[in-house]
């Protein structure tokens, strides 16, 4: 009954406004959000701030260490690393956020529905996930490329289509547990319909897990994209992504450490920011949190 | 409980059948064939080789033959390694991946649960941020960066370990760490999240009210209940861990199963693709069953409805 | 409290892990050298050890230790020296060879090697059902082509065992490099009774090549083979020249990742590597352990000459002249290879191509392109793409070419990076504009290169065809007069330069590392590696 008591004790503000307030008071989360926004803005507006062509090569100036004209050095073909990191960021953000969004939407609703209905439907839906899990990702992507040609958006689809499976399993597990909890059972007994319970109880209670998992999914998606590039199925050169840059840099980490350090730094800062934001969201969205 | 196990085992048969069928169709739809080479075989030779493997027959007949073989647990010869059969190769390589995977799992659980519990014991403290910051670094250091880094430090600079191979016991340390730390970082994040969720729930307050010391309540009740999402995550993850990793096996030169998953698809070695997919599917089903059993054990209320 | 216990536990665990490797130890390479065991990084995983089925160099490297053909090639000069045959006679008309087998030659199980084994093996290599990739190398033998396509019975093949130790081989026509062909795996002997013990000798999928089953006639025999793990050879005590074999064993490690191999080298786990990663070339360039041996191979781009504007030789020539191959080799390839102006590497069987060729001339390139009707105020150049498969080398080369075309000609081309299987199928079906290609010769003969552009040859994916070119190849084939052959080849090379169905980019060097303990390690342009005479310094007898 703790749930109703919390609601009664805070009558003046809507739950959403409360959550927003809690998020804003969380310093780490705010810092994370600001950091990610700054990085994203830098990547998408970077072309104006640093108008070097990321594909322009200066073969005579290959693998030069950071300097005034190339603040992050140059790569093996003499391309400006700053321009490449910014351009890679655009691809990585696009792939990471859209891929995660695709997987989240499918995964959350699939998992919630499966867990809520339970019984036969649940068993059937979970077995479908098992089947999808077992299919070879590499073949799947190759086929997509063949059927639809090599298009940028396919990478989101391919990655989203694989990532939602884990999300669905986790959400389903949480839903099953929530279903048994007193306040949900109470609502059911009181005759609230399914949609109401979804909106009022399930979604808010799942929000924390979803937020965390989403921040875990973004890096996975970015890395999957790098793995696809590794197999020759990712973005086409000279276009690049952070995962791709890191993969290339890892090979040269002794000879030209800046090729690994800078993209990794950008990547890590993004993830660190997303991580704190995710934690903050989780704490803020937890309906029972107020009394700590 | 026994009924659950029995039912799931029974269900496994149609699932494996569907997986095998889809994989069969996927493999055949991909461009190129298993006997394409840089310098192509003369057409008559290619025809002879394909006829030897029955690839000249109509697809439906090949599918029938494949199912028949599958039912008798015969996965056929590998096209890439003509002197070996697929089940021989799986039987030869799986134990290596299994051993490595189990060690990696141990590392992942120790690091993941340890860091997660540590962080959740005092949320938003430096301890929390430190542990979670490390976890994030773990996630964004993908295996193809972490593995060369570990090798550079411990094999090249310090000379403590071999730089590749799988001959002596010490050879397992670096690959197990590489794989384990990566998954450990995920587990840490999930553990912390679930722990915080559970901390504020009714029964925790009840436990504390009943006078159980903080740490006892924390460890006994909370951990048990918080492990749910970790266990859900572990189901498919363990299957993936045990069947090896393409990157880790390539970087450390380990003769495991993981490389076959990618190379078989790239080489269009159809029997190998199908063999590994069916094997992996069976393993996933098993791991998910175990995960569900563990979930039921962790949450007694699920048991009766299971 | 609990957390502290946990911390202690973690620390202890870490400490244990670290201690495992602490004991100082002798490197594996030194230890193995003491035992007379040579450890070789052997590139990609060998797919099979059947000499008539294998398709690649990694397999061939192993087989040169396991088997022995009628003749061997000298490690340095590639001149034929006695192998399983101690001497041979050639008839007046140069069409009949008679080989006298070494009477001491024995298989690894002690059974004598007989002329019948060779008769059986050459016929087996040409069995259509076996689908041997290299069968065409034997087409110089009488009726071989017809036997291979099933038009004649195997008994019609011009190979006859006259008695236990005498073998006669009849050729279609005099063939200059015939003896060298016999040193290749396709001409290695296998034993009929051994093959029959493990199934049908004339199809794939036999288990006879597994350790314990395989019987060979070379200086070494197979002791262990596990896929993706290693192949180990042990000295064959029955070998006729066993006294001269110094190594006790050879361990071939299939290390497909170059970076992994280089790390293993530095950790002292290998005597020999298969390669040096491009970005480590600078580190090893001046080290005595590094070898840069010219290799009979070319790396080039082919045009799909059916697709406009690539059907216009001027456009193709313009694209070729705009590429600065010296810069590509110097920067992208770290000087590890040789810039190419021609298709055939210089010195292939003493053939030196004309000095003209396709150099770097952006000025001429722009003019040619304008003549073809493209340029600033003319037609817009259609969008093209370069097809290549995933590799650490193909990608930077393609990006450099892309940038050079953009800079010199103002042309935008896209890069199309696909996986190996998709690359082969797209290139095979002609589904490309420009594609990366490479060719490494199996035998030391320019004809082996030129075959790639003969009209109607399935190897030729450019759709380019020149009657004059085909005629020249035929002329060269019909004669064994070296001067006439060379003249014909020079003219053929000129046609390739003029019509430009391909852009030669560089000729391969074989770059790899050899530890100082390894002695008698000879290099040659075919990268054939005779293992028989290799010695390890410091080996205990």
């Amino acid at each position: 009954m703790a749930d109703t008591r919390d609601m009664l004790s805070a009558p003046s503000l809507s739950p959403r406004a409360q959550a927003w307030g809690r998020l804003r008071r969380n310093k780490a989360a705010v810092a994370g959000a600001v950091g990610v926004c700054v990085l994203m803005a830098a990547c998408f507006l970077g072309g104006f701030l640093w108008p070097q062509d990321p594909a322009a090569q200066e073969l005579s100036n290959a693998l030069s260490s950071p300097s005034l004209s190339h603040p992050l050095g140059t790569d093996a073909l003499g391309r400006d690393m700053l321009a490449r990191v910014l351009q890679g960021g655009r691809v990585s953000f696009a792939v990471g956020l859209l891929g995660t969004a695709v997987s989240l939407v499918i995964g959350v609703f699939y998992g919630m529905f499966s867990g809520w209905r339970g019984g036969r439907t649940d068993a059937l839906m979970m077995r479908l996930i098992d089947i999808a899990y077992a299919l070879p990702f590499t073949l799947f992507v190759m086929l997509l490329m063949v059927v639809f040609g090599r298009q940028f958006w396919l990478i989101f689809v391919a990655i989203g289509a694989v990532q939602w499976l884990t999300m669905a399993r986790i959400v389903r597990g949480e839903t099953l547990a929530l279903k048994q909890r007193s306040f949900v059972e109470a609502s059911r007994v009181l005759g609230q319909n399914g949609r109401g319970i979804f909106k009022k109880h399930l979604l808010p209670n799942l929000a924390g897990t979803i937020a965390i998992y989403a921040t875990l999914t973004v890096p996975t998606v970015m890395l999957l994209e790098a793995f696809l590039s590794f197999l020759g199925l990712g973005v086409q050169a000279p276009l690049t992504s952070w995962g791709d840059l890191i993969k290339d840099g890892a090979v040269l980490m002794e000879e030209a450490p800046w090729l690994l350090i800078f993209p990794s730094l950008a990547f890590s800062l993004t993830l660190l920011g997303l991580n704190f934001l995710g934690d903050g969201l989780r704490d803020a969205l937890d309906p029972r949190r107020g009394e700590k | 409980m026994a009924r659950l196990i029995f039912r799931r085992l029974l269900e496994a048969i149609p699932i494996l059948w569907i997986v095998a069928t889809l994989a069969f169709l996927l493999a055949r739809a991909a461009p190129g064939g298993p006997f394409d080479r840089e310098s192509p075989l003369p057409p008559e030779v290619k025809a002879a080789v394909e006829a030897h493997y029955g690839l000249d027959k109509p697809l439906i007949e090949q599918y029938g033959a494949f199912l028949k073989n599958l039912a008798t647990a015969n996965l056929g010869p590998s096209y890439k390694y003509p002197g070996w059969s697929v089940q021989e190769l799986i039987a030869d390589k799986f134990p290596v991946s299994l051993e490595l995977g189990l060690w990696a799992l141990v590392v992942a659980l120790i690091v993941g649960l340890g860091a997660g519990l540590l962080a959740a014991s005092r949320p938003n403290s430096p301890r929390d941020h430190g542990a979670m910051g490390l976890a994030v670094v773990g996630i964004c250091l993908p295996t193809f960066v972490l593995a060369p880094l570990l090798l550079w430090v411990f094999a090249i600079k310090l000379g403590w370990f071999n730089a590749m191979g799988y001959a002596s016991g010490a050879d397992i340390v670096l690959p197990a760490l590489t794989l384990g730390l990566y998954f450990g970082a995920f587990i840490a994040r999930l553990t912390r999240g679930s722990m915080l969720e559970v901390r504020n729930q009714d029964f925790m307050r009840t436990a504390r009210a009943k006078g159980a010391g903080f740490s006892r309540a924390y460890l006994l009740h909370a951990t048990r209940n918080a492990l749910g999402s970790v266990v859900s995550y572990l189901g498919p993850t363990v299957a993936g861990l045990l069947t090896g990793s393409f990157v880790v096996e390539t970087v450390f030169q380990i003769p495991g199963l993981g490389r076959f998953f990618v190379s078989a698809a790239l080489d269009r070695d159809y029997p190998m693709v199908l063999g590994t997919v069916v094997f992996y599917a069976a393993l996933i089903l098993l791991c998910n069953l175990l995960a569900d059993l563990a979930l039921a054990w962790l949450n007694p209320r699920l048991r009766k409805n299971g | 409290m609990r957390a502290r216990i946990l911390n202690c536990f973690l620390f202890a665990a870490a400490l244990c892990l670290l201690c495992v490797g602490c004991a100082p130890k002798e490197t594996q390479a030194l230890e193995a050298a003491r035992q007379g065991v040579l450890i070789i990084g052997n590139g990609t995983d060998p797919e099979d050890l059947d000499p008539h089925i294998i398709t690649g160099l990694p397999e061939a490297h192993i087989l040169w230790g396991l088997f022995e053909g009628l003749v061997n090639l000298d490690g340095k000069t590639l001149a034929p020296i006695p192998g399983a045959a101690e001497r041979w006679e050639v008839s007046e008309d140069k069409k009949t060879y008679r080989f006298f087998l070494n009477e001491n030659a024995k298989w690894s199980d002690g059974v004598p090697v007989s002329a019948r084994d060779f008769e059986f093996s050459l016929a087996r290599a040409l069995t259509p059902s076996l689908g041997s990739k290299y069968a065409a190398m034997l087409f110089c033998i009488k009726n071989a082509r017809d036997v291979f396509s099933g038009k004649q019975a195997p008994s019609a093949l011009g190979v006859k065992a006259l008695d236990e130790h005498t073998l006669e081989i009849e050729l279609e026509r005099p063939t200059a490099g015939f003896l060298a062909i016999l040193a290749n795996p396709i001409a290695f002997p296998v034993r009929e009774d051994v093959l029959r013990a493990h199934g049908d000798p004339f199809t794939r999928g036999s288990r006879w090549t597994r350790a314990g089953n395989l019987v060979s006639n070379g200086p070494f025999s197979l002791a262990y083979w596990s896929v993706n793990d290693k192949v180990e050879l042990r000295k064959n005590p029955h070998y006729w020249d066993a006294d001269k074999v110094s190594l006790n064993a050879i361990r071939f490690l299939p290390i497909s990742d170059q970076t992994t191999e280089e790390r293993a080298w530095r950790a002292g786990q290998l005597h020999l590597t298969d390669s040096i990663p491009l970005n480590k070339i600078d580190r090893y360039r001046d080290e005595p352990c590094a070898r840069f041996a010219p290799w009979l191979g070319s790396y080039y781009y082919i045009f799909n000459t059916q697709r406009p504007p690539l059907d216009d030789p001027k456009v193709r020539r313009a694209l070729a002249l705009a590429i600065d191959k010296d810069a590509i080799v110097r920067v992208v390839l770290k000087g590890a290879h040789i810039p190419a102006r021609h298709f055939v590497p210089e010195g292939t069987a003493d053939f030196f191509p004309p000095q003209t060729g396709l150099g770097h001339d952006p000025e001429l390139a722009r003019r040619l392109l304008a003549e073809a009707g493209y340029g600033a105020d003319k037609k817009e150049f259609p969008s093209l793409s370069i097809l290549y498969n995933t590799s650490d080398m193909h990608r930077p080369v393609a990006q450099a070419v892309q940038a050079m075309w953009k800079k010199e000609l103002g042309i935008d081309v896209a890069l199309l990076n696909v996986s190996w299987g998709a690359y082969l199928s797209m290139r095979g079906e002609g589904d490309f504009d420009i594609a990366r290609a490479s060719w490494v010769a199996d035998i030391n003969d320019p004809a082996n290169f030129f075959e790639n552009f003969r009209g109607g040859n399935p190897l030729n994916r450019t759709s380019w065809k020149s009657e004059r070119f085909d005629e020249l190849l035929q002329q060269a084939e019909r004669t064994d007069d070296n001067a006439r052959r060379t003249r014909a080849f020079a003219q053929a090379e000129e046609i390739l330069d003029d019509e430009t169905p391909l852009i030669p980019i560089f000729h391969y060097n074989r770059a790899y590392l050899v530890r100082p303990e390894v002695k008698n390690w000879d290099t040659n342009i075919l990268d054939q590696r005779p293992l028989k005479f290799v010695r390890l310094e410091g080996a205990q007898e």
Side-chain angles (χ1 to χ4, degrees):
Chain A
M1 292 296 113
D3 187 45
T4 37
R5 196 183 58 207
D6 279 355
M7 291 203 170
L8 290 174
S9 65
S12 54
L13 281 169
S14 74
R16 194 166 298 179
Q18 285 180 1
W20 178 238
R22 284 196 291 265
L23 185 64
R24 270 195 317 195
R25 281 195 299 277
N26 186 332
K27 274 186 214 131
V30 172
V34 170
V36 172
C37 287
V38 166
L39 271 166
M40 220 172 348
C43 288
F44 284 96
L45 305 174
F48 303 105
L49 304 173
W50 184 253
Q52 281 228 28
D53 179 3
Q57 303 176 2
E58 262 181 82
L59 289 185
S60 55
N61 197 17
L63 288 184
S64 66
S65 47
S67 63
L68 270 183
S69 52
H70 300 289
L72 305 189
T74 62
D75 72 356
L77 289 171
R79 290 175 292 196
D80 181 60
M81 272 306 279
L82 177 55
R84 282 179 70 70
V85 169
L86 292 176
Q87 193 255 296
R90 288 198 284 279
V91 172
S92 280
F93 271 119
V95 173
L97 296 180
L98 290 177
T100 304
V102 169
S103 75
L104 223 57
V105 170
I106 308 178
V108 168
F109 284 99
Y110 192 98
M112 227 151 68
F113 188 76
S114 177
W116 181 251
R117 290 297 292 266
R120 243 171 233 282
T121 320
D122 179 42
L124 185 72
M125 289 176 85
M126 281 301 109
R127 295 303 82 78
L128 280 177
I129 287 200
D130 292 343
I131 292 173
Y133 253 124
L135 287 176
F137 176 65
T138 328
L139 266 181
F140 178 70
V141 178
M142 263 185 259
L143 270 181
L144 275 178
M145 298 290 163
V146 172
V147 178
F148 297 100
R150 298 184 59 98
Q151 291 176 28
F152 192 61
W153 57 268
L154 267 180
I155 297 171
F156 313 133
V157 175
I159 292 175
V162 175
Q163 280 300 311
W164 69 269
L165 301 170
T166 312
M167 186 77 234
R169 275 188 68 85
I170 289 180
V171 169
R172 178 242 178 199
E174 297 271 311
T175 310
L176 274 183
L178 275 174
K179 223 167 84 176
Q180 314 287 341
R181 293 251 292 275
S182 40
F183 60 93
V184 179
E185 265 171 30
S187 305
R188 228 170 6 173
V189 172
L190 290 173
Q192 199 159 27
N193 66 4
R195 189 188 286 184
I197 297 176
F198 256 53
K199 255 178 83 178
K200 201 152 188 180
H201 296 303
L202 291 188
L203 221 44
N205 276 291
L206 285 171
T209 311
I210 295 173
I212 292 192
Y213 198 74
T215 60
L216 285 174
T217 305
V218 174
T220 314
V221 169
M222 289 179 171
L223 289 175
L224 262 175
E225 187 274 323
F227 182 65
L228 286 181
S229 310
F230 182 73
L231 297 177
L233 303 165
V235 291
Q236 287 293 358
L239 213 61
T240 188
S241 65
W242 282 345
D244 194 37
L245 287 171
I246 292 174
K247 175 179 70 68
D248 286 351
V251 183
L252 279 156
M253 67 173 144
E254 286 175 70
E255 287 77 14
W258 57 91
L259 293 185
L260 176 62
I261 291 171
F262 293 117
S264 301
L265 210 61
F267 191 58
S268 312
L269 284 178
T270 306
L271 298 191
L272 208 65
L274 281 173
N275 168 53
F276 286 132
L277 182 62
D279 281 352
L281 278 174
R282 194 203 64 78
D283 294 347
L285 292 171
D286 185 347
R288 296 171 306 279
R289 208 191 100 203
E291 67 201 271
K292 192 196 157 188
Chain B
M1 195 62 70
R3 243 190 70 217
L4 172 74
I5 298 176
F6 181 71
R7 207 182 62 208
R8 293 287 284 275
L9 289 181
L10 214 60
E11 278 171 2
I13 296 169
I15 293 175
L16 287 180
W17 173 65
I18 295 174
V19 167
T21 306
L22 283 176
F24 181 87
L25 294 174
L26 273 177
R28 294 312 164 95
F35 303 107
D36 289 346
R37 291 285 141 79
E38 172 90 46
S39 53
L41 293 169
E44 62 267 27
V45 177
K46 199 171 157 188
V49 175
E50 288 184 346
H52 174 62
Y53 289 118
L55 288 171
D56 54 340
K57 300 209 179 76
L59 203 61
I60 185 78
E61 239 175 87
Q62 295 182 39
Y63 175 65
F66 159 64
L67 280 190
K68 219 172 99 194
N69 282 339
L70 193 63
T72 56
N74 173 11
L75 299 173
S78 157
Y79 294 165
K80 180 172 161 116
Y81 301 101
W84 299 75
S85 73
V86 171
Q87 64 259 48
E88 266 182 313
L89 287 174
I90 293 179
D92 194 27
K93 304 302 165 199
F94 180 58
V96 175
S97 294
L98 183 71
E99 192 187 11
L100 175 60
L102 285 178
W103 281 110
L105 186 64
V106 170
V107 173
L109 285 177
I110 292 179
V111 172
L113 291 179
L117 295 178
L118 201 69
S121 65
R122 199 164 297 165
N124 288 321
S125 67
R127 182 198 283 181
D128 177 21
H129 291 310
M132 283 304 105
L134 278 182
V136 174
V137 172
I139 292 173
C140 46
L141 270 186
T143 42
F144 55 73
V145 175
L146 184 60
L149 265 180
L150 286 177
L151 278 168
W152 186 61
V153 175
F154 294 105
I156 306 289
K157 290 290 148 195
L158 297 174
W160 291 356
F161 296 100
N162 285 329
M164 55 140 225
Y166 197 71
S168 67
D171 283 345
I172 209 161
V173 175
L174 293 182
L177 272 181
T178 307
L179 265 181
L181 287 180
Y182 182 65
F183 289 104
F186 275 79
I187 294 174
R189 301 268 292 114
L190 282 175
T191 307
R192 176 188 178 272
S194 310
M195 285 301 289
L196 291 186
E197 205 120 292
V198 172
R199 264 168 68 89
N200 295 317
Q201 277 173 21
D202 324 348
F203 63 91
M204 282 295 292
R205 293 207 206 95
T206 322
R208 259 179 280 171
K210 273 200 252 165
F214 172 73
S215 53
R216 238 190 104 203
Y218 182 67
L219 279 173
L220 269 177
H221 293 272
T223 314
R224 197 165 160 195
N225 282 280
L227 283 180
S229 61
V230 176
V231 169
S232 302
Y233 169 77
L234 276 183
T237 305
V238 166
L241 263 178
L242 298 187
T243 45
S245 139
F246 176 77
V247 174
V248 168
E249 286 178 13
T250 307
V251 172
F252 290 97
Q253 187 60 29
I254 292 169
L257 200 54
R259 273 198 271 183
F260 285 132
F261 283 90
V262 176
S263 66
L266 292 180
D267 294 330
R268 310 288 187 275
D269 188 346
Y270 302 142
M272 197 66 191
V273 170
L274 297 173
T276 45
V277 167
V278 170
F279 180 75
Y280 181 59
L283 204 66
I284 279 222
L285 290 179
L286 184 70
C287 289
N288 282 341
L289 174 59
L290 292 178
D292 286 350
L293 290 178
L295 273 179
W297 175 76
L298 286 168
N299 188 345
R301 267 187 288 184
L302 274 179
R303 232 176 281 172
K304 56 176 189 260
N305 311 44
Chain C
M1 186 58 210
R2 298 274 166 176
R4 195 167 309 148
I5 294 174
L6 200 71
N7 281 341
C8 291
F9 178 65
L10 282 177
F11 183 71
L15 212 63
C16 288
L17 285 178
L18 295 182
C19 287
V20 177
C22 276
K25 58 183 179 196
E26 186 181 25
T27 63
Q28 284 182 3
L30 287 175
E31 187 191 346
R34 209 157 32 77
Q35 297 160 347
V37 179
L38 181 70
I39 311 177
I40 300 180
N42 199 42
T44 52
D45 194 34
E47 297 175 5
D48 199 2
L49 296 179
D50 187 323
H52 304 148
I53 291 181
I54 62 149
T55 56
L57 211 50
E59 291 90 346
H61 283 153
I62 299 172
L63 292 189
W64 275 313
L66 276 176
F67 291 91
E68 183 171 58
L70 288 164
V71 301
N72 286 332
L73 296 183
D74 181 89
K76 282 200 188 87
T77 63
L78 292 177
I81 54 173
E86 58 183 1
R87 62 194 176 87
W88 49 88
E89 286 169 0
V90 190
S91 66
E92 264 315 275
D93 61 359
K94 294 182 185 164
K95 277 169 68 172
T96 309
Y97 284 70
R98 192 170 284 186
F99 295 90
F100 301 93
L101 267 59
N102 187 325
E103 302 203 0
N104 293 323
K106 290 204 180 71
W107 293 91
S108 53
D109 59 354
V111 176
V113 176
S114 90
R116 277 176 231 296
D117 292 330
F118 279 95
E119 192 188 71
F120 167 78
S121 302
L122 288 169
R124 176 184 187 253
L126 288 162
T127 313
S129 60
L130 199 64
S132 177
K133 177 191 161 192
Y134 287 115
M137 279 177 103
L138 298 175
F139 283 177
C140 52
I141 298 175
K142 195 176 159 199
N143 294 333
R145 206 183 283 263
D146 285 349
V147 169
F148 188 55
S149 54
K151 283 190 205 123
Q152 291 208 44
S155 55
L157 189 69
V159 180
K160 290 281 164 298
L162 301 181
D163 61 45
E164 277 298 302
H165 295 289
T166 319
L167 186 78
E168 192 174 87
I169 301 182
E170 268 185 90
L171 303 187
E172 287 279 339
R173 63 176 74 86
T175 306
F178 176 60
L179 285 174
I181 289 172
L182 292 180
N184 276 284
I186 189 71
F188 284 169
V190 296
R191 218 169 73 206
E192 188 171 3
D193 60 311
V194 173
L195 265 66
R196 288 213 184 273
H198 298 280
D200 182 357
F202 300 107
T203 58
R204 287 166 181 246
S206 160
R207 296 163 56 101
W208 82 273
T209 50
R210 306 278 280 273
N213 299 348
L214 188 130
V215 174
S216 63
N217 72 328
F220 300 92
S221 61
L222 183 64
Y224 180 85
W225 176 27
S226 171
V227 169
N228 263 340
D229 186 5
K230 70 174 172 186
V231 174
E232 186 153 325
L233 312 188
R234 207 159 291 153
K235 185 174 172 175
N236 173 9
H238 297 287
Y239 180 60
W240 62 272
D241 209 7
D243 293 347
K244 295 221 183 79
V245 179
S246 146
L247 295 175
N248 288 323
I250 307 174
R251 214 170 280 155
F252 290 94
L253 302 179
I255 313 173
S256 50
D257 187 68
Q258 294 186 331
T259 323
T260 300
E261 187 183 58
E262 195 265 347
R263 268 194 301 264
W265 165 267
R266 272 202 276 169
Q269 291 183 271
L270 296 173
H271 290 121
L272 266 152
T273 68
D274 184 62
S275 60
I276 307 176
L278 272 184
N279 37 56
K280 305 279 179 193
I281 295 271
D282 288 332
R283 168 195 293 266
Y284 290 105
R285 192 187 310 282
D286 300 319
E287 300 265 330
C289 58
R291 303 273 175 103
F292 295 90
W295 192 26
L296 265 199
S298 296
Y299 185 103
Y300 53 102
Y301 277 9
I302 54 172
F303 293 112
N304 184 346
T305 60
Q306 278 186 324
R307 290 200 181 167
L310 300 175
D311 53 347
D312 184 346
K314 278 185 181 149
V315 173
R316 301 199 297 257
R317 220 174 136 72
L319 290 173
L321 291 168
I323 298 178
D324 184 354
K325 295 139 183 173
D326 294 330
I328 289 181
V329 167
R330 202 176 55 244
V331 180
V332 181
L333 306 172
K334 312 286 179 201
H337 301 282
I338 307 152
R341 300 164 72 91
H342 305 280
F343 179 42
V344 180
E346 291 197 6
T348 307
D350 300 325
F351 163 69
F352 288 88
Q355 274 314 300
T356 49
L358 294 161
H360 178 221
D361 190 346
E363 198 51 50
L364 179 59
R366 275 188 288 273
R367 213 162 56 228
L368 283 169
L369 202 65
E371 278 174 34
Y374 299 97
D377 44 338
K378 305 197 179 91
K379 273 187 292 183
E380 198 186 324
F381 200 80
S383 66
L384 298 175
S385 64
I386 302 176
L387 175 73
Y388 63 98
N389 57 297
T390 308
S391 132
D392 289 343
M393 181 192 270
H394 306 332
R395 193 161 82 138
V397 170
Q399 293 186 65
V401 168
Q402 182 189 39
M404 284 168 183
W405 283 343
K406 171 90 184 150
K407 185 175 150 216
E408 303 292 359
L409 305 175
I411 292 175
D412 280 308
V413 293
L415 301 185
L416 194 54
N417 177 0
V418 297
S419 63
W420 178 238
Y423 160 77
L424 289 178
S425 111
M426 288 170 80
R427 206 183 54 170
E429 286 160 16
D431 181 16
F432 66 93
D433 302 320
I434 300 162
R436 162 262 130 186
S438 52
W439 184 257
V440 175
D442 315 308
I443 46 176
N444 187 7
D445 184 355
N448 196 278
F449 281 90
F450 288 123
E451 274 302 318
N452 279 293
F453 292 92
R454 193 198 276 267
N457 188 336
L459 278 173
N460 179 357
R461 289 96 167 184
T462 60
S463 311
W464 175 80
K465 191 170 169 16
S466 154
E467 273 169 31
R468 177 75 188 128
F469 181 83
D470 294 353
E471 205 181 288
L472 286 166
L473 290 196
Q474 213 156 35
Q475 265 180 32
E477 201 179 343
R478 293 239 170 88
T479 177
D480 65 337
D481 173 11
N482 224 354
R484 282 178 62 190
R485 273 171 65 93
T486 309
R487 245 191 337 269
F489 288 142
Q491 284 173 310
E493 185 73 74
E494 269 172 41
I495 293 176
L496 286 186
D497 291 348
D498 284 341
E499 303 243 334
T500 332
L502 80 151
I503 311 175
I505 296 179
F506 63 87
H507 301 306
Y508 282 108
N509 264 330
R510 190 87 173 150
Y512 58 94
L513 302 165
V514 187
R515 283 187 69 91
E517 303 91 277
V518 181
K519 301 292 172 195
N520 293 348
W521 184 261
D522 296 327
T523 56
N524 55 62
I525 46 172
L526 288 181
D527 198 30
Q528 294 210 0
R529 301 171 162 190
L531 297 159
K532 182 172 158 180
F533 299 115
V534 176
R535 217 161 42 76
L536 278 167
E537 211 168 60
Q540 291 164 346
E541 290 305 320

